[in-house]
Amino acid sequence: MMKPFWLLGLLLSVTGWALAAPMVLYVAPGGDDTWSGVLQEANAEKSDGPVATLTRARDIVRERNTGQGAIVYVRGGAYFLKEPLRLEKADSGTRENPIIWQAYPGESVRLIGAINLSGFTPYKDSIVKTDVSAMNLPKSACRQLFVNGSRQILARWPNKGEGEIPGGAWAFIGASVESDKNQSFIFA
C-alpha cells in the first residue's frame, strides 16, 4: 500500500519541478521576430525557431514569464542595435528565479550599437560610396565607420596627415585677439 503513495509523491514533485523550471528562449542572427523563440534553430518548415532581436526576447519574457525566471541564450554572431536595449528592474527576475541573458555555450556574441551599411560602389581610386539618404539619419549621425572590424577615416578637410598641420595633428589657438571683436581667435 505504501508503494502507490511513494510513486504519487515522486510524480507530483517531478511535475512541480517541471512547472517551476525557468523559461528558455533563443535569439539568433538568422531568427525571426514572429517566431516563438523556444527552438534553438529554425524548424524544417521554417515556421518557428529563435527570435532575431534581443528586444523581442525581452518582450516575450515580459509577456510570458510567470515568475519562474528565464534563460535567454543569445546565439553567436553580430547583433546591430538600432536603439538601446532597455532592461528594467522587473527584467532581472528575483534572487530565487533570475532572468539570465548569456551567450550560447561556446559561441561569441557581438552587440553593435550601429547601423549595418551595404550597397557600396567604387567612387574613385580606392574610395567607395553608398547612399544612406533613405535611412532618414540625423545630420550628425555618422561619427565612426568600421569596415570588417577596422575603423576607417571619414572624409574631411583639410585632408592632412600627422605632422602636416602646425603643432602636430591638431589645429590650435595661438592667441586670442582682444582688440578686434569681429575675430575671436587667430590661427598659429
Side-chain angles (χ1 to χ4, degrees):
M1 198 67 176
M2 193 64 135
K3 191 174 185 180
F5 288 112
W6 178 83
L7 188 58
L8 179 62
L10 178 65
L11 182 61
L12 288 174
S13 65
V14 169
T15 305
W17 176 84
L19 293 175
M23 173 191 324
V24 178
L25 289 177
Y26 298 91
V27 183
D32 186 321
D33 279 348
T34 63
W35 291 345
S36 69
V38 298
L39 301 176
Q40 292 184 38
E41 298 175 359
N43 61 14
E45 298 81 28
K46 303 282 187 211
S47 61
D48 196 14
V51 294
T53 64
L54 301 172
T55 303
R56 181 63 186 134
R58 179 207 57 204
D59 293 346
I60 290 173
V61 170
R62 286 178 177 175
E63 293 164 9
R64 298 185 196 160
N65 189 4
T66 59
Q68 79 274 23
I71 301 173
V72 179
Y73 287 110
V74 184
R75 300 301 305 253
Y79 295 84
F80 291 90
L81 305 178
K82 295 179 182 172
E83 59 188 38
L85 175 64
R86 298 186 191 282
L87 298 174
E88 299 170 0
K89 183 178 178 182
D91 296 316
S92 298
T94 64
R95 181 181 304 269
E96 298 79 24
N97 297 301
I99 298 172
I100 301 168
W101 294 72
Q102 66 183 38
Y104 192 79
E107 297 182 3
S108 295
V109 174
R110 289 186 4 213
L111 303 180
I112 303 168
I115 297 168
N116 190 15
L117 300 177
S118 60
F120 285 92
T121 58
Y123 174 64
K124 65 180 178 180
D125 299 326
S126 60
I127 300 171
V128 294
K129 66 178 182 174
T130 189
D131 183 8
V132 296
S133 60
M135 299 178 112
N136 298 320
L137 300 173
K139 281 191 170 200
S140 63
C142 189
R143 294 190 183 117
Q144 298 181 56
L145 178 66
F146 289 81
V147 176
N148 296 327
S150 177
R151 187 174 180 190
Q152 303 299 298
I153 298 171
L154 298 177
R156 64 181 187 264
W157 188 89
N159 197 13
K160 298 286 184 179
E162 192 76 35
E164 295 180 34
I165 297 176
W170 301 95
F172 62 93
I173 299 172
S176 126
V177 180
E178 295 298 324
S179 60
D180 185 359
K181 298 296 182 192
N182 294 329
Q183 187 174 358
S184 59
F185 63 90
I186 60 172
F187 293 101

